[in-house]
Amino acid sequence: MEQALVNGLVLGMNYGLIALGLTMIFSLMNVLNFAHGQMYVLGGFVTYFALNTLGVPYIVAVLLAVLALAAVGLLFEYALFRPVRKRSNREESTMLLAAGTALLLESLILLFFGEKQRGVPPVASGVFEIGGAFIPASRVLVFFVALAAIILFMMFMRYTRPGRALRAIAQDREVTALQGVNIQAYSALGFMIGAGLAGLAGALLITVLSVNSGMGTSISIKAFIMVMLGGAGVIPGAIIGAFVLGFAEAFGYAFIPSSMTYLLIFVGLIIFLIIRPQGVMGKPWG
């Protein structure tokens, strides 16, 4: 029981980084970014490349991964999503485009990094015992870095002018535009931050979980589960969804056959969405 609790806490914190980026892009642009999992994978591969080929320290590799994914996010928003949104108001257009970007990123990752599983050595050694549960030092480090990143993100959104502008756009895009806010510039900033968070998650988790070119879709599905649980476009809801999924995974893998864990998670998700389709913190639609 204690081990499952600790594992769930660590998993939830890591998943929080992934869910925050996805829900931010959705709240700003009403775009379901199907490529979010592939962005996470790319963040892991950039970290692997920086460490093993460039020979830079781990902290520099993490920064490179965040910057690289932020650049990918900016490129996607400016060159792909912005023109499509100008030409079409139909949500299907951006959804199809998002699915296309996911396939594009997955193919590029496969082309440049191959199909082999890649990982990097843990950046911290040793094992801690917490209340009868054992946890490797590398996972403790990842937990606290993820916690610090989430706190910084929340402070940025609450106390800075760009953060307040992003929140205003998420609440009412048209009214915010009437106040003189540059919607396009802030949308690009939001996409960069969302993609950068996915890259940060990939850079952190490659030290404890290896990555491969085909795992992006499963990561995207997990991110969608978290966002649907917490409420699409609601930042605190994404964190709640991340911890719910983290604990569900940890307890599922600990106490029931692993093949049944995600079956039960999906059944639970379906029942939950029938009862509360807007998620824990989302507002009713319509």
Side-chain angles (χ1 to χ4, degrees):
M1 177 66 79
E2 294 85 357
Q3 189 68 53
L5 276 173
V6 171
N7 290 344
L9 191 63
V10 174
L11 268 178
M13 190 62 71
N14 297 331
Y15 285 166
L17 281 178
I18 302 173
L20 279 178
L22 180 65
T23 206
M24 184 170 191
I25 292 171
F26 178 79
S27 64
L28 289 174
M29 303 175 64
N30 202 26
V31 169
L32 289 171
N33 183 24
F34 292 111
H36 206 68
Q38 281 75 13
M39 290 178 171
Y40 162 91
V41 174
L42 183 57
F45 273 115
V46 171
T47 307
Y48 171 84
F49 176 80
L51 282 172
N52 291 283
T53 304
L54 303 180
V56 301
Y58 176 69
I59 183 64
V60 177
V62 172
L63 291 175
L64 286 175
V66 173
L67 292 174
L69 268 297
V72 170
L74 176 63
L75 178 66
F76 276 15
E77 197 283 332
Y78 184 78
L80 301 176
F81 286 97
R82 188 179 299 185
V84 169
R85 285 169 60 86
K86 280 183 180 178
R87 293 179 173 86
S88 173
N89 293 322
R90 298 184 60 171
E91 292 182 2
E92 297 92 326
S93 303
T94 55
M95 288 178 65
L96 290 171
L97 175 61
T101 58
L103 294 173
L104 172 67
L105 269 187
E106 189 166 312
S107 299
L108 290 175
I109 292 169
L110 181 63
L111 177 66
F112 285 104
F113 296 104
E115 59 185 11
K116 288 184 178 177
Q117 195 94 352
R118 303 291 187 185
V120 301
V123 292
S125 58
V127 177
F128 293 103
E129 182 179 0
I130 304 173
F134 295 91
I135 179 169
S138 57
R139 287 181 181 260
V140 174
L141 178 64
V142 170
F143 173 86
F144 282 108
V145 173
L147 175 63
I150 290 174
I151 292 173
L152 286 174
F153 173 79
M154 300 293 281
M155 291 177 66
F156 169 80
M157 294 297 290
R158 187 171 184 83
Y159 297 112
T160 68
R161 184 182 178 87
R164 288 194 291 269
L166 291 171
R167 287 166 53 204
I169 294 172
Q171 290 173 3
D172 196 317
R173 194 178 183 90
E174 285 73 22
V175 171
T176 306
L178 291 175
Q179 301 298 317
V181 175
N182 188 331
I183 300 295
Q184 290 189 341
Y186 279 107
S187 294
L189 175 64
F191 214 117
M192 288 175 62
I193 293 173
L197 286 172
L200 175 60
L204 292 177
L205 289 181
I206 195 174
T207 61
V208 294
L209 303 169
S210 54
V211 296
N212 62 67
S213 59
M215 67 184 293
T217 302
S218 64
I219 296 295
S220 291
I221 290 173
K222 288 184 179 183
F224 284 123
I225 291 174
M226 294 180 255
V227 170
M228 285 188 289
L229 283 172
V234 184
I235 288 174
I239 297 175
I240 291 174
F243 278 100
V244 170
L245 181 63
F247 281 113
E249 264 194 31
F251 277 89
Y253 290 138
F255 297 111
I256 61 176
S258 57
S259 59
M260 292 288 291
T261 298
Y262 259 88
L263 173 63
L264 294 178
I265 288 175
F266 281 122
V267 171
L269 176 66
I270 291 169
I271 294 172
F272 172 76
L273 290 177
I274 290 172
I275 299 169
R276 193 172 173 82
Q278 71 271 29
V280 175
M281 298 190 70
K283 295 179 180 177
W285 296 329

